[in-house]
Amino acid sequence: MNIRLLSCDAAKPDQRAIMKTLEEIADGMNSADAREFTNILLDGTAVDIEVSFNTSSAFRKLRKLGIDYEIVE
């Protein structure tokens, strides 16, 4: 399943927590990619990730971090 991360609405986004979450939920995501995607997201640009397992847990983690997302068909 492809997910587009649109923005982060948290007052003080926890960059480290976002990076760790991306590493955990996205397929084939390493720490360097997670750092880059986090920086792009926090700069206000949407990023696409692929999640192939335990999507309900991924959605819950994204909501907890204040990240808006949409499912891309």
Side-chain angles (χ1 to χ4, degrees), residues 2 8-9 13-14 32 34 36-39 42 44-45 47 50 52-55 61 69-71:
N2 289 327
C8 182
D9 294 337
D14 185 347
E36 183 178 344
F37 278 43
T38 300
N39 290 334
L42 294 178
T45 304
V47 295
E50 186 170 332
S52 62
F53 63 93
N54 207 357
T55 55
K61 289 178 181 185
Y69 61 87
E70 68 182 9
I71 298 171

Side-chain angles (χ1 to χ4, degrees), residues 7-68:
S7 63
C8 182
D9 294 337
K12 291 185 177 181
D14 185 347
Q15 185 173 6
R16 192 167 149 200
I18 295 170
M19 287 173 23
K20 182 176 172 148
T21 299
L22 290 179
E23 280 185 84
E24 290 174 3
I25 66 172
D27 296 344
M29 181 80 60
N30 60 35
S31 61
D33 291 339
R35 182 179 305 116
E36 183 178 344
F37 278 43
T38 300
N39 290 334
I40 292 168
L41 179 65
L42 294 178
D43 284 341
T45 304
V47 295
D48 292 344
I49 62 171
E50 186 170 332
V51 178
S52 62
F53 63 93
N54 207 357
T55 55
S56 62
S57 176
F59 295 147
R60 191 171 32 260
K61 289 178 181 185
L62 292 172
R63 284 192 301 271
K64 185 176 180 181
L65 291 169
I67 297 174
D68 290 328

